[in-house]
Amino acid sequence: DLGAAIDMCQKSLLEHHDRDTQRLLKTMELEKKQADTLAYQDDDKAEEAKQEGNEYFRNKDFAKAVSCYEEAVKRAPKNATIRNNLAAALCKIMDFNGAKREIEIALELDSKYVKAWARKGDIEILMKENHKAMESFKKGLAIDPENAACKEGLRKVTAMVNYGQANMSEEERKERAAHALADPEIQAILQDPVITQVLRDFNENPNAANKAMADPSVRSKIEKLIASGILQTA
């Protein structure tokens, strides 16, 4: 019995501090936590909690919906659909970081879950990460080219990028670019020597730049720079 063994170790440490006993205690506590988590899992109870969360969500009681979905996740941590529902509810209470965390886990569980790719794109728009949203919608469409949510999401984010290019004030442009520069993915693109050369060629050697843009990888990176607001187009 792990519980009894942990109690014995704790009592022993109260009488005499010993590093080996302390390490053993930590190991057993971790094993008990893992065992308790596994024992708590129950697909039927997860479905009950999910349905309860759905009801709260429909009634716009989003805080209670979050609580129910979180319970459902504990009961079925590998259920991608529940994670997607939780992400939707977290968006409603403005916890976008939490929502993105859950939707990324959902996609780790099922990388072909198109609805989750659409949700991820929607969350990234809310987080002002248009370049990431564009990529998420495209990944969803690569799986299902006719998916309405991804098609509409891509249309929406593309329009937002184009509108921003034409109508943002200089201050807004700088703020958007500063936000993008904090993104490790954008930093990596800007440090890519091939991209650095292409950006230089846009001004000095347009033919070379156009030729480089024929490479899908280069084009994708340049499009991310444009969508993020780092690169301005005429």
Side-chain angles (χ1 to χ4, degrees):
D1 185 326
L2 274 174
I6 288 171
D7 286 341
M8 288 181 62
C9 280
Q10 288 173 335
K11 289 176 182 178
S12 175
L13 285 170
L14 287 173
E15 296 174 3
H16 175 67
H17 184 77
D18 178 80
R19 287 186 178 180
D20 289 339
T21 303
Q22 189 175 40
R23 281 195 292 268
L24 178 61
L25 174 61
K26 287 182 178 179
T27 299
M28 288 192 297
E29 286 175 337
L30 178 60
E31 289 177 355
K32 187 175 187 303
K33 182 179 179 182
Q34 291 171 337
D36 289 346
T37 298
L38 189 61
Y40 196 71
Q41 293 177 25
D42 184 314
D43 288 342
D44 290 337
K45 290 183 178 179
E47 182 63 23
E48 289 176 12
K50 185 185 85 169
Q51 293 303 329
E52 188 177 0
N54 290 348
E55 186 64 25
Y56 281 125
F57 193 95
R58 282 191 290 270
N59 292 329
K60 301 189 187 314
D61 192 339
F62 301 119
K64 287 184 178 178
V66 166
S67 180
C68 289
Y69 291 141
E70 286 177 336
E71 172 65 14
V73 164
K74 291 177 185 175
R75 293 290 190 178
K78 294 185 179 181
N79 187 309
T81 302
I82 294 172
R83 299 269 183 183
N84 180 56
N85 288 11
L86 175 55
L90 288 168
C91 280
K92 294 296 187 180
I93 62 170
M94 310 296 281
D95 183 1
F96 303 134
N97 287 322
K100 189 167 184 182
R101 179 189 65 244
E102 292 301 326
I103 208 64
E104 286 177 343
I105 294 173
L107 287 165
E108 286 175 9
L109 293 168
D110 183 0
S111 63
K112 295 189 181 298
Y113 188 10
V114 179
K115 191 173 181 179
W117 282 116
R119 178 86 63 205
K120 184 170 182 285
D122 289 339
I123 294 167
E124 287 161 342
I125 288 176
L126 293 170
M127 296 178 75
K128 298 181 179 180
E129 296 176 338
N130 290 342
H131 58 295
K132 291 186 176 182
M134 196 172 284
E135 183 176 14
S136 293
F137 293 131
K138 286 180 179 179
K139 285 185 176 180
L141 289 170
I143 300 165
D144 178 6
E146 299 304 317
N147 182 266
C150 286
K151 287 172 75 173
E152 174 58 21
L154 184 58
R155 184 204 63 76
K156 178 182 176 181
V157 75
T158 300
M160 289 173 66
V161 169
N162 292 337
Y163 178 85
Q165 292 275 2
N167 296 280
M168 276 187 180
S169 67
E170 189 60 30
E171 184 177 345
E172 287 172 328
R173 292 179 196 275
K174 288 181 179 178
E175 181 182 351
R176 186 175 172 214
H179 180 78
L181 283 170
D183 185 339
E185 182 183 12
I186 294 297
Q187 293 171 10
I189 291 173
L190 291 172
Q191 291 168 7
D192 184 333
V194 173
I195 300 302
T196 301
Q197 184 61 51
V198 172
L199 294 176
R200 188 180 299 117
D201 285 342
F202 276 132
N203 292 320
E204 300 174 1
N205 190 349
N207 288 335
N210 289 335
K211 185 177 180 181
M213 288 289 284
D215 182 327
S217 175
V218 171
R219 175 175 288 278
S220 175
K221 290 178 180 180
I222 293 297
E223 286 176 348
K224 285 179 184 177
L225 294 181
I226 294 171
S228 70
I230 294 292
L231 182 61
Q232 303 295 324
T233 57

